């Protein structure tokens, strides 16, 4: 932003609103403004004036989520092949439980990555 534009914005934006927040509200505003990569004041101004503020996804987090999702697909595929390969034998309870625990672990990892976004 140029110095001239800053001066013009400062002239136009000479009014201030004070808002009192509890700790949880402040943390939520900070978290959401960070995901949109906007300063808190700009974020609050845009939201207050009715603009939609879209979060900016972190490419590293997105890559990690894609990798975890792919792992979940591999685990599901392995389970499917395993079940088809042993139709007459059946699987022991321990084997099924072990596979389900692995699937649940990967699914929880996906959920935590999505929440982090």
């Amino acid at each position: 932003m140029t110095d001239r534009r800053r001066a013009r914005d400062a002239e136009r934006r000479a009014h201030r609103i004070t808002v009192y927040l509890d700790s949880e509200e402040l943390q939520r505003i900070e978290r959401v403004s960070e995901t949109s990569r906007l300063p808190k004041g700009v974020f609050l101004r845009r939201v207050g004036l009715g603009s939609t503020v879209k979060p900016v996804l972190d490419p590293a987090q997105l890559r990690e989520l894609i990798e975890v999702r792919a792992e979940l697909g591999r685990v599901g595929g392995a389970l499917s092949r395993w079940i088809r390969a042993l139709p007459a034998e059946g699987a022991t309870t321990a084997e099924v439980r072990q596979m389900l625990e692995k699937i649940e672990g990967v699914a929880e990892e996906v959920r935590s990555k999505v929440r982090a976004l």
Side-chain angles (χ1 to χ4, degrees):
M1 183 181 292
T2 65
D3 289 336
R4 181 180 281 171
R5 184 169 177 197
R6 276 194 196 113
R8 187 179 71 229
D9 284 349
E11 287 175 24
R12 288 189 341 207
R13 295 189 176 121
H15 304 284
R16 177 182 293 213
I17 297 174
T18 303
V19 178
Y20 293 93
L21 306 168
D22 62 30
S23 296
E24 186 177 310
E25 292 168 333
L26 179 61
Q27 288 174 355
R28 186 171 176 195
I29 289 171
E30 287 173 340
R31 187 175 57 248
V32 176
S33 70
E34 284 174 13
T35 62
S36 63
R37 295 197 178 145
L38 293 172
K40 288 181 285 207
V42 174
F43 169 77
L44 290 171
R45 182 183 314 114
R46 288 185 183 178
V47 170
L49 294 174
S51 296
T52 301
V53 178
K54 296 181 181 177
V56 177
L57 294 177
D58 179 17
Q61 287 179 322
L62 191 56
R63 261 191 312 279
E64 197 173 338
L65 182 59
I66 290 168
E67 289 171 9
V68 171
R69 185 178 178 277
E71 177 65 21
L72 187 57
R74 285 190 288 276
V75 169
L79 179 60
S80 178
R81 286 189 302 278
W82 179 56
I83 290 171
R84 277 190 254 123
L86 304 172
E89 297 176 27
T92 68
T93 303
E95 290 171 326
V96 171
R97 197 167 302 208
Q98 182 182 10
M99 186 61 76
L100 287 175
E101 286 174 4
K102 185 173 182 181
I103 291 170
E104 287 173 359
V106 174
E108 180 54 38
E109 191 176 347
V110 169
R111 282 191 288 274
S112 71
K113 300 294 181 193
V114 168
R115 279 192 295 267
L117 294 176

